[in-house]
Amino acid sequence: MRYILALMIFAFTMNHAAAAQTSVSFKGMITEAVCHISTSHGDISSSCVKNSTHHTASFHVASGDNQMFTLPGNVGHMQVKWLNAARTKGLLVALYR
């Protein structure tokens, strides 16, 4: 069984009493290495290993709406989420299967 790994940034506020009562736990194991993802001048390059096979892919990010790209080897997907109206700052979120 594979567990979902996600890299996300959340902005939220929480009162001190609620924060003191909150806990997060993880059970399981990571069975495959994560993908190497790099960005440069509007391009995304990704490299993943699945079942001992190396997969690579490159994508161009346009300034359109939030975009989704499949990770190489179909190990998950990436999504670009814009942070400002000018679409010059954004988050790249990778979700693994």
Side-chain angles (χ1 to χ4, degrees), residues 1-6 31-32 50 68-78 94-97:
M1 177 181 236
R2 300 177 94 184
Y3 292 92
I4 297 174
L5 300 176
T31 59
E32 292 183 2
K50 182 177 180 182
M68 192 173 297
F69 307 98
T70 301
L71 284 167
N74 200 27
V75 298
H77 65 274
M78 299 177 286
L95 299 168
Y96 295 89
R97 298 182 203 275

Side-chain angles (χ1 to χ4, degrees), residues 47-64:
S47 173
C48 306
V49 177
K50 182 177 180 182
N51 299 329
S52 301
T53 304
H54 189 234
H55 303 274
T56 60
S58 295
F59 307 98
H60 180 72
V61 178
S63 61

Side-chain angles (χ1 to χ4, degrees), residues 4-12 77 79 81 91-96:
I4 297 174
L5 300 176
L7 173 63
M8 300 179 81
I9 297 176
F10 292 103
F12 62 94
H77 65 274
Q79 185 173 11
K81 296 186 179 202
L91 295 176
L92 179 62
V93 180
L95 299 168
Y96 295 89

